């Protein structure tokens, strides 16, 4: 797995006033038979793409593995936690693996 330094950083300094739309990127993805708008920060989209590439999957296929139907109300949170768990597991942290 690539190191964290390969994940893009935000252009503006922390603490600047920014709207939520400026820091999350909505993308339409298909999970099962549903097409949904998933809103994640660019760093999470980059991580999803990296994990999918390592598994030889597309992002939508990876999302189906992470979040099997029925889709939860907290879909975005579940995706973020799954990404974090993947990186913790790859780093050897067995606490959350």
């Amino acid at each position: 797995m690539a190191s964290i330094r390969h994940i893009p950083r935000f252009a503006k300094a922390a603490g600047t006033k920014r709207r939520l739309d400026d820091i999350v990127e909505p993308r339409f993805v298909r999970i099962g038979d549903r097409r949904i708008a998933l809103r994640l920060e660019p760093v999470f989209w980059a991580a999803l793409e990296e994990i999918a590439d390592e598994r030889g999957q597309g992002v939508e296929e990876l999302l189906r593995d992470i979040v099997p139907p029925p889709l939860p109300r907290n879909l975005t949170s579940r995706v973020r936690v799954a990404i974090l768990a993947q990186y913790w597991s790859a780093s050897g942290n067995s606490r959350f693996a």
Side-chain angles (χ1 to χ4, degrees), residues 56-74:
Q57 298 178 309
V59 170
E60 289 184 354
E61 188 178 359
L62 176 61
L63 287 170
R64 284 191 297 272
D65 290 348
I66 291 173
V67 189
L71 297 179
R73 296 185 113 192
N74 62 345

Side-chain angles (χ1 to χ4, degrees), residues 67-88:
V67 189
L71 297 179
R73 296 185 113 192
N74 62 345
L75 175 63
T76 304
S77 295
R78 178 142 340 152
V79 170
R80 285 186 184 111
V81 168
I83 292 168
L84 186 57
Q86 172 68 28
Y87 279 94
W88 274 337

Side-chain angles (χ1 to χ4, degrees), residues 5-97:
R5 71 178 180 272
H6 293 290
I7 297 174
R9 297 175 188 253
F10 292 111
K12 293 186 178 179
T16 60
K17 292 185 179 182
R18 298 176 72 182
R19 293 181 39 195
L20 183 60
D21 292 340
D22 293 339
I23 59 171
V24 295
E25 181 181 330
R27 292 190 193 177
F28 286 95
V29 294
R30 184 168 298 281
I31 301 177
D33 60 348
R34 295 188 57 193
R35 185 173 179 256
I36 59 166
L38 185 61
R39 296 170 52 93
L40 292 170
E41 295 80 3
V43 68
F44 285 105
W45 283 118
L48 268 177
E49 291 166 359
E50 182 177 276
I51 294 167
D53 284 346
E54 288 178 0
R55 294 183 179 188
Q57 298 178 309
V59 170
E60 289 184 354
E61 188 178 359
L62 176 61
L63 287 170
R64 284 191 297 272
D65 290 348
I66 291 173
V67 189
L71 297 179
R73 296 185 113 192
N74 62 345
L75 175 63
T76 304
S77 295
R78 178 142 340 152
V79 170
R80 285 186 184 111
V81 168
I83 292 168
L84 186 57
Q86 172 68 28
Y87 279 94
W88 274 337
S89 175
S91 73
N93 186 338
S94 61
R95 180 177 176 192
F96 297 100

